[in-house]
Amino acid sequence: MGKQHWIGDVRAGAHDGAQVELKGWVHRTRGSNKIWFMVLRDSTGVVQCVIKRESVGDDAFEALRTALIESSIILRGTVEPTEREHGHEVQVSSGEVVGPVNPDRPFPITESSMAEADGGETEFLLDNRHLYLRTGRMTTMLKLRSTVFGAIHSYFRELDFIEYQAPNFVAGAVEGGSTLFEVPYFGRKAYLTQSWQLYAEAAMPALERLYTMAPSFRAEKSRTRRHLTEFWHAEMEVAWASNAEIMEYGEGVVRHIAKTLLDERSDELSELGRDLELISRYADNAYPRMRYDEAIETLQSKGVTVEWGQDLDYSKEKVLTADFDVPHFVTHYPRITKPFYHRPDPKEPKYVLCHDLLAPDGYGEILGGGERTWSEKEILERIDEEGTPREPYEFYIDIRRYGGVPHGGFGLGVDRVCAWLSGANHIREVIPFPRDSRRVTP
Ligand code: 4AD
Ligand code: MG
């Protein structure tokens, strides 16, 4: 890489008294005709650089002094520890502008546009998302997000799961037709997949333990703080597994994510104002389980109008999770609330052997999974009772025709987990280019 020195290392004291060459972008400036203070930013942090006319010469001084916010810059100099803001300063001996910013078109995101958004997002910031990515809060979110993705991979790989890729163009729904994205496909209709699951089940007899992280697509018309039309989905599938066993994995991966964030990103969590005690609680404690019927009773006792047989939408999950201190599983939803692939409970077939994991403090569902309907007879019954045509699912039914076995899995909404663990108000805050019913740009 054409870069040897990082501002994060300067700040950590790795280069005290030494010569460095810093490459980065102008974050903030102030000064006079003789001395110019430039706060330089790179991906690892910011540090103040002191540029004196007498040290760098007139030409370099003028070039650097007139460089606007977000110009790219190279500065060379000596690192000095100080009592001031960043603990370190760089006394600059030479420097140059690499990519200037035109004064007729200064960087549009200013402190006041950020203040107006108040840690959230305005249409202005969403329109300028490509530039907003380099501001502090967003950069921090992207780092947290990377750690969440890494933690999910390491969790499954440690347990000998095989990473497996399914197609994104598909012929049928997984999670119901109302949120299917239709795409013209050479004179036919195809859809963008809502989930990796059905094609993962096809590989279940080959791999037995498999997982992925991939985008899923849902034509969600309503814009809520937890819905995207393109979201990142961590899914897993396991042969021979029961609902209870799948829940162990679900709890395991979420606790592992919380633990990894604490180990690797505690500074970033604190920067975002997240209480580390809370994250430790999510990492260290078991997640309680309750049945759907109990959730309905709890909601009714809180005065929520809800009847047995209704799915728990966001408004209900919000009330239910308001006083949870850790995520809770809700299991055994009524058969009529869930798609055909959910396996009816052999003991009480009006329920299915499934679970949702609901995050506390009103965040609600972050994961959904369960046992799959695995016999040919039962899957045909479930498809027919739903009124779904069998034709696009012939491959899926075949999985049952040739050595069907009990199996199950779950899907975890990665963006939802990032939003919950970072304490974001809206799911848009944690993904670089959020997609919803009104926005596919920039
Ligand atoms: O509950 P869902 O719909 O379950 C499935 O898709 C299963 N096929 C998964 C499986 O068993 N393999 O979606 C799973 C999770 C939800 O719990 C939620 O966290 C997330 O995906 N999710 C969304 N995240 C953001 N925006 C959306 N529109 C989402 N829809 C679902
Ligand atoms: Mg769900």
Side-chain angles (χ1 to χ4, degrees):
M1 186 172 186
K3 166 159 172 159
Q4 254 96 53
H5 302 116
W6 301 84
I7 290 174
D9 294 336
V10 168
R11 292 276 299 266
H15 301 299
D16 289 1
Q19 287 283 322
V20 289
E21 181 182 65
L22 296 182
K23 296 183 170 181
W25 291 261
V26 178
H27 183 61
R28 235 183 8 235
T29 57
R30 68 190 167 83
S32 69
N33 209 12
K34 294 204 176 74
I35 181 164
W36 196 245
F37 300 97
M38 179 181 285
V39 177
L40 197 70
R41 169 183 67 75
D42 75 5
S43 58
T44 62
V46 295
V47 71
Q48 175 154 286
C49 303
V50 184
I51 307 165
K52 293 185 181 137
R53 186 185 283 277
E54 60 184 31
S55 313
V56 298
D58 289 336
D59 290 352
F61 188 82
E62 277 314 312
L64 294 169
R65 191 178 69 86
T66 52
L68 297 183
I69 304 273
E70 288 306 319
S71 305
S72 50
I73 301 276
I74 300 177
L75 295 176
R76 294 168 209 91
T78 313
V79 178
E80 281 180 2
T82 81
E83 295 294 298
R84 280 190 288 276
E85 200 186 351
H86 307 136
H88 292 80
E89 246 172 27
V90 178
Q91 297 297 331
V92 175
S93 53
S94 72
E96 68 239 22
V97 178
V98 178
V101 171
N102 184 337
D104 295 336
R105 218 178 156 150
F107 193 67
I109 299 175
T110 57
E111 272 173 22
S112 74
S113 52
M114 300 277 281
E116 195 191 325
D118 191 22
E121 320 238 304
T122 53
E123 287 299 310
F124 173 78
L125 290 184
L126 287 163
D127 287 340
N128 286 286
R129 193 67 167 194
H130 51 298
L131 301 175
Y132 181 57
L133 293 185
R134 47 174 105 177
T135 63
R137 185 179 162 87
M138 191 74 224
T139 304
T140 301
M141 284 293 191
L142 294 178
K143 290 178 183 175
L144 286 180
R145 189 177 166 90
S146 166
T147 299
V148 170
F149 275 65
I152 294 170
H153 280 296
S154 67
Y155 178 79
F156 286 116
R157 282 168 180 263
E158 276 293 305
L159 293 171
D160 289 330
F161 276 67
I162 303 290
E163 187 177 358
Y164 164 84
Q165 292 81 28
N168 287 322
F169 284 128
V170 294
V174 189
E175 299 298 326
S178 67
T179 61
L180 261 187
F181 268 115
E182 195 176 301
V183 230
Y185 200 82
F186 305 106
R188 277 174 293 161
K189 273 184 204 163
Y191 306 99
L192 292 179
T193 199
Q194 297 165 310
S195 159
W196 158 97
Q197 180 195 325
L198 303 193
Y199 288 88
E201 286 185 59
M204 173 276 297
L207 302 173
E208 296 187 295
R209 289 166 290 185
L210 51 156
Y211 84 100
T212 200
M213 259 195 290
S216 281
F217 304 89
R218 308 267 169 111
E220 310 272 4
K221 279 171 215 86
S222 57
R223 297 165 79 234
T224 73
R225 60 184 281 223
R226 62 177 202 165
H227 284 99
L228 295 164
T229 51
E230 177 181 354
F231 69 96
W232 282 80
H233 208 169
E235 296 186 85
M236 60 87 84
E237 199 68 29
V238 187
W240 316 104
S242 65
N243 194 41
E245 190 178 337
I246 301 295
M247 279 192 275
E248 294 293 326
Y249 286 113
E251 176 176 327
V253 72
V254 174
R255 288 175 59 180
H256 180 70
I257 295 168
K259 169 87 172 53
T260 310
L261 281 177
L262 282 174
D263 289 348
E264 297 176 11
R265 295 289 175 201
S266 56
D267 289 351
E268 284 83 358
L269 286 167
S270 304
E271 252 170 64
L272 294 172
R274 203 61 171 136
D275 179 357
L276 297 182
E277 286 289 310
L278 279 184
I279 312 294
S280 313
R281 210 189 282 165
Y282 308 148
D284 298 340
N285 292 288
Y287 299 170
R289 281 105 165 108
M290 67 162 81
R291 286 179 65 116
Y292 168 91
D293 287 4
E294 193 187 332
I296 295 293
E297 279 162 28
T298 308
L299 283 168
Q300 287 169 341
S301 75
K302 290 185 174 200
V304 177
T305 331
V306 59
E307 278 165 38
W308 191 94
Q310 275 182 295
D311 203 3
L312 302 180
D313 62 14
Y314 182 47
S315 66
K316 299 184 187 69
E317 285 180 6
K318 205 165 140 179
V319 179
L320 187 63
T321 63
D323 10 277
F324 287 179
D325 50 0
V326 292
H328 284 47
F329 283 103
V330 179
T331 67
H332 298 83
Y333 282 67
R335 170 182 191 138
I336 42 168
T337 62
K338 294 287 178 184
F340 66 84
Y341 64 75
H342 285 280
R343 181 180 179 209
D345 185 347
K347 285 190 273 194
E348 271 177 299
K350 68 172 181 166
Y351 298 99
V352 286
L353 295 172
C354 75
H355 55 271
D356 277 6
L357 182 61
L358 310 186
D361 298 326
Y363 278 94
E365 180 187 346
I366 50 173
L367 172 156
E371 278 178 47
R372 316 306 189 194
T373 309
W374 65 271
S375 76
E376 180 185 1
K377 179 171 163 288
E378 209 164 30
I379 198 73
L380 292 174
E381 210 176 279
R382 288 283 279 148
I383 290 179
D384 294 348
E385 84 185 19
E386 212 182 76
T388 301
R390 288 182 185 186
E391 200 268 323
Y393 301 101
E394 277 303 323
F395 83 94
Y396 190 72
I397 302 163
D398 265 356
I399 303 163
R400 280 86 186 141
R401 292 187 180 118
Y402 300 99
V405 296
H407 63 285
F410 65 70
L412 173 75
V414 186
D415 317 279
R416 284 194 187 173
V417 168
C418 293
W420 161 53
L421 289 174
S422 67
N425 285 319
H426 199 294
I427 195 165
R428 280 191 312 229
E429 293 170 32
V430 304
I431 184 164
F433 291 97
R435 299 297 184 232
D436 65 27
S437 58
R438 285 212 305 221
R439 185 177 285 279
V440 278
T441 55

